[in-house]
Amino acid sequence: MAMFQDNPVRPDNYARFERPTPAWFSGAKLGIFVHWGPYSVPAWGEPIGALGTIEKTHWFKHNPYAEWYFNTIRIEGSPAAEHQKTVYGGAPYDDFIDAWKAENFDADAVLDLVRRTGARYFVPTTKHHDGVTLWDAPGTNGRNTVARGPRRDLIGEFADATRKAGLRFGVYYSGGLDWHFRPEIPPIANEEEDLRPLDAGYAEYAYHHVDDLLDRYAPDVLWGDIEWPDAGKPSGPFSMENLFEKFYTLRPDGVSNDRWGETHWDYRTSEYEHGRGAEGDGQAWENCRGVGYSFGFNQLEDASHLLSGPDAAANFIDIVARGGNFLLNIGLTASGEVPEGQRETLEHLGAWNDLNGHAVFDSEPYSAGGNRDEPWVRWTRTGNTVHAFIGSPGEVVLGGLPAEIVLSTARDAHGTPVSAEATAEGARILVPVPEVAGPVLVSFDLSAA
């Protein structure tokens, strides 16, 4: 599959969808992801670390992804299974649908926070692997948020609020997994197991869901996950091929990620530390991660598990300087609110972008500058101006630029000149203390050479 594969190949029936990445997506740089579902009621996962840093058999049994709770509680001997038995008496997962009320949810308030980060697109989950849809999707027989739990079309509310906020709207859909639709399939306990429903019946079911999302919400981003049922890949009446045809007719400048199986993609993806081979391979790419180790809200996470605001800013500019976009996730509580620690991270990132965003959004990597870790420096370029983002204040010698450019044009985010001098090692600048904690911006004019 294209997801996390180094050299995916489009089948012939999908080749016609290949085209240059739309400029809006290349310039967007930042999106906000939201995972929300019945799993937000137990909100439980062991915060053991980031995906890509943990051995997979241990990972699945001790899964830090709270949105995988339905899978983890079915793994014999897992702490999640014991938690479900002790706290909920071993009740069925679907009890959480009715316990999920979203009583404090205000889509406009959430999108106001998202807008203030500087993000240009927003992607909520419409159906995660538990199979519960956040709109009244066809064929769900009432197992959705309109008929149960919140009793609201949450995707419709998100779509309206996103567009009122002036952002592009995307939809996440789990095509590769649905633990409710095929309950006979055992839980996933290691990476080697391919336990996706592959059959024509599931392919048709998923097809009608994505088709309905296109009809109702005309998204700008199609964000698939965990593949697509094999029966739905060849040409035919319920083929992913038809969905791409419809999507690009509705949204000629829309974009799709690479998690719809080995079919078609406009950009590659990585997740935390997993799939990093897709980054910087000459194609557009996006790294996604939660503010913490989980995408769904996890009540076990505290500040020690969360990206701080300054760390989120550093992570963001590192990705942008290497040519990617950053899709940063928040997990809403069952009542529909952004948890305070996650809110603080997003607000700090927004303040950092207010100061430095002119050197980030719509920028390009500046490879001649030389990204490095000691001292920590990342580079971007906008027109004839290049920008160094430096990890800490103090003296630093910069390579990659003629000394006369550094000496005559070095300036901070406000345009105030920065002290610089020529040395035998190169141009040394005195990096100011950041106004907003995080990497410090110093800019230079190439036209001064």
Side-chain angles (χ1 to χ4, degrees), residues 53-395:
T53 67
I54 309 291
E55 188 275 325
K56 278 307 183 81
T57 300
H58 184 77
W59 170 272
F60 285 112
K61 191 171 183 177
H62 301 272
N63 205 321
Y65 283 5
E67 69 276 12
W68 275 66
Y69 190 72
F70 191 3
N71 186 79
T72 316
I73 61 176
R74 293 182 294 143
I75 297 176
E76 187 175 353
S78 71
E82 183 60 32
H83 176 79
Q84 181 68 7
K85 180 181 178 181
T86 301
V87 177
Y88 300 103
Y93 179 85
D94 276 23
D95 283 6
F96 296 129
I97 303 174
D98 301 307
W100 175 28
K101 299 301 185 184
E103 66 273 16
N104 296 327
F105 175 58
D106 181 338
D108 289 325
V110 173
L111 265 298
D112 180 63
L113 173 63
V114 170
R115 177 190 58 78
R116 288 187 284 112
T117 68
R120 296 185 179 180
Y121 59 106
F122 173 76
V123 183
T125 50
T126 68
K127 185 201 83 165
H128 206 263
H129 314 326
D130 61 4
V132 178
T133 63
L134 277 65
W135 87 107
D136 55 336
T140 52
N141 297 319
R143 195 172 181 269
N144 61 64
T145 61
V146 176
R148 295 174 65 178
R151 298 188 180 276
R152 296 160 70 171
D153 177 1
L154 300 175
I155 299 306
E157 293 181 41
F158 272 136
D160 290 346
T162 300
R163 289 176 170 134
K164 279 197 293 183
L167 279 64
R168 299 269 186 163
F169 181 67
V171 292
Y172 165 109
Y173 183 84
S174 173
L177 294 176
D178 192 315
W179 298 317
H180 175 78
F181 189 85
R182 287 284 180 257
E184 69 276 12
I185 296 177
I188 300 170
N190 66 70
E191 190 175 30
E192 284 66 44
E193 296 175 317
D194 188 354
L195 296 175
R196 296 177 295 123
L198 308 175
D199 60 282
Y202 177 60
E204 182 176 348
Y205 176 77
Y207 176 95
H208 287 307
H209 283 186
V210 177
D211 187 57
D212 196 50
L213 288 169
L214 295 175
D215 281 339
R216 294 190 191 217
Y217 311 115
D220 302 288
V221 181
L222 270 185
W223 216 100
D225 201 14
I226 317 288
E227 259 270 12
W228 188 251
D230 291 1
K233 295 174 185 176
S235 299
F238 303 110
S239 172
M240 191 67 212
E241 178 184 1
N242 299 338
L243 295 173
F244 282 128
E245 186 76 50
K246 183 170 186 172
F247 174 55
Y248 293 116
T249 298
L250 288 168
R251 293 292 188 210
D253 64 348
V255 292
S256 173
N257 75 343
D258 63 350
R259 301 192 186 188
W260 302 98
E262 200 159 352
T263 56
H264 163 72
W265 59 93
D266 293 302
Y267 64 94
R268 306 297 310 283
T269 58
S270 57
E271 187 169 319
Y272 289 89
E273 299 304 314
H274 192 48
R276 291 284 189 171
E279 299 178 357
D281 64 354
Q283 301 184 67
W285 60 275
E286 172 193 80
N287 176 262
C288 69
R289 63 156 294 157
V291 174
Y293 295 138
S294 176
F295 286 92
F297 170 57
N298 183 2
Q299 62 178 314
L300 298 189
E301 290 186 336
D302 58 31
S304 69
H305 307 114
L306 306 182
L307 277 178
S308 68
D311 285 344
N315 201 68
F316 177 38
I317 192 58
D318 170 67
I319 289 167
V320 171
R322 293 185 293 111
N325 283 15
F326 186 29
L327 185 62
L328 179 61
N329 179 84
I330 51 176
L332 301 187
T333 66
S335 62
E337 298 167 303
V338 180
E340 187 56 33
Q342 297 184 36
R343 175 180 291 276
E344 289 174 1
T345 295
L346 264 62
E347 288 178 341
H348 188 101
L349 179 60
W352 189 89
N353 280 330
D354 282 345
L355 179 64
N356 302 294
H358 63 279
V360 182
F361 298 100
D362 298 307
S363 69
E364 299 175 348
Y366 181 64
S367 58
N371 295 333
R372 52 184 168 142
D373 292 334
E374 191 58 47
W376 194 95
V377 183
R378 297 295 185 269
W379 293 84
T380 65
R381 176 174 178 168
T382 54
N384 282 326
T385 303
V386 295
H387 313 279
F389 292 87
I390 304 163
S392 58
E395 291 188 347

